[in-house]
């Protein structure tokens, strides 16, 4: 049977979809795209915003419309958040954020009984679901999920309700999965999770996998500022050359009252102090962030303070998210002082700042030598990323997965141009 897998959302979802893909392949199913007449369509959903939910529904309807005879399996955060909303969409198998590794068993039960299967669990106190990426993983960098769940309960966020309690991958299991991926030729490993920094042996894991022959880069997909302000981690960051000079640290707001209303557990001064500490030990580090504009209580004055502080922090890129109301969260009950027009204006202002800061960071590297991990060849150029996550193109056809050294000659629309050395 032919299976198509559609994935929405975060790096954790993409990792889990690769695991699902591997499970199907191990059971002799064929992986195809949506336009290749699949017998089964798996949609791994996201629910971080209302827009995410709308996109999930659009993909589900499109899959059913274009593949009327396919078995439709919907799993992930959207199903965990609101399984009743899927009732009108006539889904064959509905699965939340547990038992994704049982997807073939569930499909075979459905093929036998031809009755809808719905598996939505309470995630308040569950164990980490062990997963392993299959040998067929075809990306240039390998993601490994070492943590799941969240207990921060930021006032705007639905994730603790759809991902459940904080839980961790067994240390030996994580190390052995990474070791196997490196032996398969991956030069970059990305450690990921909902709260990667909560992993109890994070520094030890980074230190030990850095000893693996063939592994050249260790990247952390995202980490909270409160999870890295310890000497053990900062010493590893300073002394381990394989730990990438790029950290994605969500700030969410750069203004103190908004941070308090968001239930973020730091002030902007505390955030800045830790960023300065990181830059003092890794001067070239690229720090990128997530930032929400138009939070219900955010006044014009507070937004102006936010944009001023964000500029001072000199982020390499700001991923800007207009506030999206999520029913069931504390922020959904707050009095909203921000109009849609104001939210749109603030989004554009923050995006303009992001473009400015990103360009300034990129321009620092013109004339410098830098290593690039080749990811794709397109239109006569090889495209790839440096360890500090700069997008670079090279006028050579370089094999995918190869790390090469280039000299940067120019900047072309937030892509650096490099000559092969």
């Amino acid at each position: 049977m032919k299976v198509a897998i559609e994935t929405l959302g975060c790096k954790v979802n993409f990792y889990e979809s690769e695991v699902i893909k591997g499970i199907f392949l191990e059971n002799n199913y064929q992986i195809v795209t949506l336009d290749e007449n699949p017998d089964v369509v798996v949609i791994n959903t996201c629910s971080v915003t209302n827009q995410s939910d709308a996109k999930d529904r659009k993909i589900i309807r499109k899959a059913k419309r274009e593949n009327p005879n396919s078995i439709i399996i919907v799993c992930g955060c959207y199903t965990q958040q609101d399984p009743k909303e899927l009732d009108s969409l006539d889904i064959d198998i509905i699965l939340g954020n547990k038992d994704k590794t049982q997807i073939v068993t569930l499909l075979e039960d459905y093929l036998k009984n031809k009755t809808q299967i719905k598996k939505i669990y309470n995630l308040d106190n569950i164990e980490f679901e062990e997963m392993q990426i299959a040998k067929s993983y075809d990306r240039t960098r390998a993601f490994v999920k070492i943590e799941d769940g969240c207990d921060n309960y930021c006032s705007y966020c639905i994730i603790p309700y759809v991902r459940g309690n904080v839980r961790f991958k067994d240390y030996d299991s994580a190390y052995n999965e990474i070791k196997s991926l490196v032996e398969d030729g991956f030069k970059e490993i990305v450690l990921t999770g909902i709260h990667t920094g909560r992993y109890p042996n994070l520094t030890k894991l980074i230190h030990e996998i850095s000893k693996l022959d063939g592994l050249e880069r260790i990247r952390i997909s995202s980490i909270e500022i409160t999870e890295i302000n310890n000497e053990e981690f900062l010493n590893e960051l300073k002394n381990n050359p394989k730990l990438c000079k790029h950290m994605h640290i969500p700030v969410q707001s750069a203004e103190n009252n908004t941070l308090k209303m968001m239930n973020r557990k730091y002030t902007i001064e505390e955030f800045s102090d830790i960023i300065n500490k990181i830059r003092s030990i890794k001067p070239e580090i690229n720090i990128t962030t997530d930032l929400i504009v138009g939070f219900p209580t955010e006044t014009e004055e507070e937004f102006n303070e936010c944009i001023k502080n964000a500029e001072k922090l000199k982020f390499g890129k700001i991923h800007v998210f207009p506030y999206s109301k999520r029913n069931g969260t504390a922020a959904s009950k707050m009095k909203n002082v921000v109009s849609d027009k104001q939210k749109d204006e603030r989004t554009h202002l923050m995006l303009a700042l992001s473009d400015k800061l990103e360009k300034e960071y990129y321009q620092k590297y013109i004339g410098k030598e830098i290593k690039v991990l080749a990811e794709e060849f397109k239109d006569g150029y090889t495209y790839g990323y440096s360890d500090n996550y700069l997008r670079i193109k090279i006028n050579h056809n370089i094999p995918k997965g190869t790390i090469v050294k280039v000299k940067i000659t120019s900047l072309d629309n937030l892509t650096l141009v490099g000559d092969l050395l």
Side-chain angles (χ1 to χ4, degrees):
M1 293 181 77
K2 296 187 293 184
V3 179
I5 303 171
E6 291 290 302
T7 309
L8 299 104
C10 66
K11 297 291 192 298
V12 173
N13 263 16
F14 278 88
Y15 170 86
E16 291 173 348
S17 288
E18 286 294 334
V19 171
I20 289 168
K21 172 183 170 183
I23 293 167
F24 275 114
L25 289 171
E26 287 166 8
N27 286 275
N28 299 315
Y29 288 79
Q30 181 186 355
I31 301 298
V32 298
T33 60
L34 262 182
D35 56 5
E36 293 180 279
N37 299 314
D39 303 295
V40 181
V41 177
V42 179
I43 302 167
N44 193 4
T45 61
C46 172
S47 191
V48 72
T49 65
N50 286 337
Q51 289 84 356
S52 303
D53 290 355
K55 192 171 182 180
D56 294 329
R57 291 190 293 270
K58 184 178 179 181
I59 293 283
I60 292 166
R61 291 190 180 103
K62 180 184 177 186
K64 287 184 65 63
R65 184 174 65 250
E66 295 181 359
N67 303 277
N69 298 318
S70 298
I71 297 165
I72 305 294
I73 304 175
V74 181
C75 61
C77 292
Y78 178 52
T79 58
Q80 189 72 43
Q81 158 67 2
D82 201 349
K84 290 181 182 176
E85 203 166 304
L86 291 171
D87 288 347
S88 63
L89 296 176
D90 191 26
I91 309 302
D92 301 305
I93 301 174
I94 298 171
L95 188 61
N97 272 325
K98 183 178 180 296
D99 285 354
K100 291 180 184 178
T101 55
Q102 303 302 310
I103 198 161
V104 168
T105 302
L106 294 169
L107 172 60
E108 290 174 354
D109 285 349
Y110 177 83
L111 290 169
K112 191 188 302 179
N113 300 314
K114 292 291 192 292
T115 55
Q116 186 192 56
I117 295 173
K118 184 184 283 190
K119 294 272 188 181
I120 307 293
Y121 299 87
N122 185 320
L123 303 180
D124 288 345
N125 189 25
I126 62 168
E127 297 295 316
F128 187 90
E129 185 173 359
E130 285 294 332
M131 297 179 174
Q132 297 276 335
I133 286 181
K135 297 284 186 184
S136 59
Y137 193 55
D138 60 1
R139 295 174 182 266
T140 53
R141 61 175 78 104
F143 289 82
V144 177
K145 188 179 85 168
I146 59 173
E147 184 276 344
D148 205 345
C150 176
D151 55 15
N152 277 7
Y153 291 95
C154 298
S155 65
Y156 53 83
C157 187
I158 200 71
I159 296 303
Y161 304 95
V162 297
R163 277 285 174 178
N165 59 286
V166 170
R167 51 208 187 272
F168 311 110
K169 192 178 188 75
D170 173 76
Y171 178 87
D172 289 338
S173 177
Y175 178 86
N176 289 329
E177 181 177 8
I178 293 164
K179 183 172 182 285
S180 176
L181 288 163
V182 174
E183 288 170 351
D184 286 344
F186 286 95
K187 293 181 172 64
E188 181 175 318
I189 296 293
V190 185
L191 302 175
T192 192
I194 304 302
H195 272 288
T196 315
R198 291 286 300 276
Y199 192 72
N201 294 306
L202 179 63
T203 304
K204 178 187 174 185
L205 181 64
I206 290 168
H207 188 77
E208 292 303 315
I209 63 174
S210 69
K211 298 174 185 177
L212 294 169
D213 289 339
L215 179 59
E216 297 198 29
R217 293 181 181 176
I218 303 163
R219 194 180 298 279
I220 301 170
S221 66
S222 181
I223 196 163
E224 292 288 331
I225 199 78
T226 51
E227 297 162 354
I228 54 180
N229 190 26
N230 64 79
E231 290 308 311
E232 185 186 27
F233 179 84
L234 291 173
N235 283 335
E236 192 69 22
L237 180 65
K238 179 180 180 179
N239 298 316
N240 190 338
K242 292 189 178 181
L243 192 50
C244 286
K245 294 191 290 290
H246 168 245
M247 297 186 76
H248 186 78
I249 308 174
V251 67
Q252 304 303 6
S253 175
E255 191 279 323
N256 281 333
N257 187 58
T258 307
L259 285 171
K260 182 180 177 182
M261 298 304 292
M262 286 178 165
N263 196 30
R264 301 292 287 177
K265 295 169 176 64
Y266 49 82
T267 65
I268 196 59
E269 290 79 16
E270 289 166 340
F271 187 96
S272 300
D273 286 347
I274 300 168
I275 294 296
N276 290 336
K277 193 185 295 187
I278 291 167
R279 286 185 172 136
S280 72
I281 62 175
K282 283 271 190 195
E284 291 188 340
I285 195 163
N286 182 14
I287 296 175
T288 57
T289 199
D290 295 335
L291 194 148
I292 297 168
V293 299
F295 188 77
T297 63
E298 183 187 69
T299 66
E300 191 72 25
E301 183 182 25
E302 288 168 350
F303 173 74
N304 290 336
E305 182 71 10
C306 176
I307 203 163
K308 182 177 78 174
N309 289 332
E311 184 164 16
K312 282 183 188 173
L313 282 159
K314 295 289 181 186
F315 292 113
K317 184 180 181 67
I318 303 171
H319 297 267
V320 183
F321 299 90
Y323 170 74
S324 176
K325 181 179 176 180
R326 306 303 287 132
N327 292 333
T329 63
S332 68
K333 302 176 183 68
M334 293 178 183
K335 184 179 178 182
N336 191 353
V337 301
V338 185
S339 69
D340 288 343
K341 182 183 177 186
Q342 287 172 313
K343 194 187 297 184
D344 189 53
E345 288 170 352
R346 293 176 193 180
T347 299
H348 282 95
L349 286 169
M350 194 63 76
L351 284 170
L353 173 61
S354 177
D355 288 346
K356 173 179 173 284
L357 294 174
E358 191 173 10
K359 187 175 181 181
E360 285 175 1
Y361 186 80
Y362 268 69
Q363 285 174 329
K364 293 178 186 176
Y365 288 86
I366 295 173
K368 293 189 177 181
E369 295 180 5
I370 199 164
K371 288 184 176 179
V372 183
L373 174 62
E375 300 207 353
E376 66 169 340
F377 183 73
K378 185 174 68 175
D379 301 328
Y381 287 91
T382 294
Y383 290 82
Y385 285 87
S386 63
D387 83 326
N388 54 345
Y389 214 61
L390 300 174
R391 180 171 161 84
I392 297 165
K393 67 178 184 179
I394 310 153
N395 191 15
H396 287 272
N397 190 350
I398 298 164
K400 183 177 173 180
T402 304
I403 292 181
V404 295
K405 185 180 273 190
V406 301
K407 184 169 183 178
I408 302 302
T409 58
S410 61
L411 179 62
D412 178 19
N413 291 327
L414 294 179
T415 298
L416 290 168
V417 181
D419 286 339
L420 190 65
L421 294 176

